[in-house]
Amino acid sequence: MINSPNPSDKGKNANRVRRTKKSQDKIVRWEQRLVQIQRVSKVVKGGKKLSFRATVIVGNQNSQVGVGVGKADEVSTAVKKAVNDARKNLIKIPLTKGKTVPHNVIGIDGACKVLIRPAGPGTGVIAGSSIRIVLELAGIQNILAKQLGGNNLLNNARATIVALKSLKTPQQVAQERDIPLEKIFSYNK
């Protein structure tokens, strides 16, 4: 299809193809946020070799998120490496209709422990440090999270990813237990 209504019009848009609405919907917007840049050093024979470590979180705000780390001699190179690492380590999260998690979950990485609880509509994202960034980029809108243990930004982000990985939908639980879905929601003993 030609963009111009008149085929004899030889303007600069004459050969341009019109994009349909469906093709524009398939374009995924990945958002990335830089959590931390640290100057790290390695002791070598001639003294200390300085480099930079970048921690980046990438997400599409539609239940996909990843955490990446990159090290390089320059900050910009470290950030690029971290973004590539985060895209390689993407996870998919099951969300409810209220844009929250299906159940309580705890994630542990290193000395960091993260507690994540579902929340009602209108609550917002109640979380601190890098946990908040991970949850926002995952597209979660109503959630309560608490950082327990260590205060390391990278380990907190990784602990959040561990917690989100362990989430299960009621359908998955019913399939694992070989019981009907109705039995999971029934409260009769």
Side-chain angles (χ1 to χ4, degrees):
M1 296 172 83
I2 297 176
N3 200 10
S4 175
N6 186 1
S8 64
D9 185 17
K10 299 289 183 188
K12 93 178 182 184
N13 292 333
N15 294 328
R16 189 173 290 174
V17 178
R18 184 183 300 163
R19 288 188 178 160
T20 62
K21 196 170 190 176
K22 288 182 184 177
S23 67
Q24 290 175 352
D25 289 343
K26 291 181 183 176
I27 297 171
V28 179
R29 298 251 182 232
W30 291 100
E31 192 176 329
Q32 61 191 34
R33 289 204 204 150
L34 183 65
V35 175
Q36 183 182 43
I37 294 178
Q38 278 190 320
R39 196 178 84 181
V40 293
S41 62
K42 178 181 180 182
V43 179
V44 292
K45 189 168 122 182
K48 292 180 182 176
K49 183 181 182 296
L50 296 175
S51 60
F52 295 93
R53 185 184 83 173
T55 306
V56 174
I57 300 172
V58 173
N60 66 350
Q61 295 190 349
N62 193 13
S63 75
Q64 281 189 313
V65 68
V67 175
V69 180
K71 260 202 289 197
D73 292 338
E74 296 177 12
V75 175
S76 60
T77 313
V79 171
K80 284 178 189 172
K81 285 182 178 181
V83 169
N84 288 337
D85 188 40
R87 288 208 174 140
K88 286 179 193 171
N89 299 317
L90 286 173
I91 63 164
K92 185 109 170 98
I93 303 162
L95 294 178
T96 63
K97 289 180 184 176
K99 291 283 189 181
T100 187
V101 292
H103 56 84
N104 293 0
V105 68
I106 294 175
I108 299 172
D109 187 79
C112 296
K113 190 174 182 181
V114 173
L115 169 69
I116 296 175
R117 298 177 63 196
T123 306
V125 178
I126 299 174
S129 80
S130 56
I131 302 168
R132 180 182 199 89
I133 298 171
V134 172
L135 297 174
E136 284 176 350
L137 289 180
I140 299 172
Q141 294 176 355
N142 301 304
I143 197 159
L144 301 168
K146 181 68 182 155
Q147 164 189 326
L148 307 166
N151 200 22
N152 186 316
L153 291 174
L154 175 59
N155 284 351
N156 274 318
R158 283 184 173 161
T160 309
I161 292 290
V162 167
L164 294 175
K165 263 188 196 174
S166 63
L167 288 172
K168 294 179 183 176
T169 61
Q171 291 82 7
Q172 290 171 330
V173 173
Q175 189 176 7
E176 286 175 8
R177 296 182 189 176
D178 287 332
I179 58 174
L181 188 63
E182 294 80 31
K183 199 167 184 181
I184 290 177
F185 292 113
S186 66
Y187 295 107
N188 300 338
K189 291 185 180 179

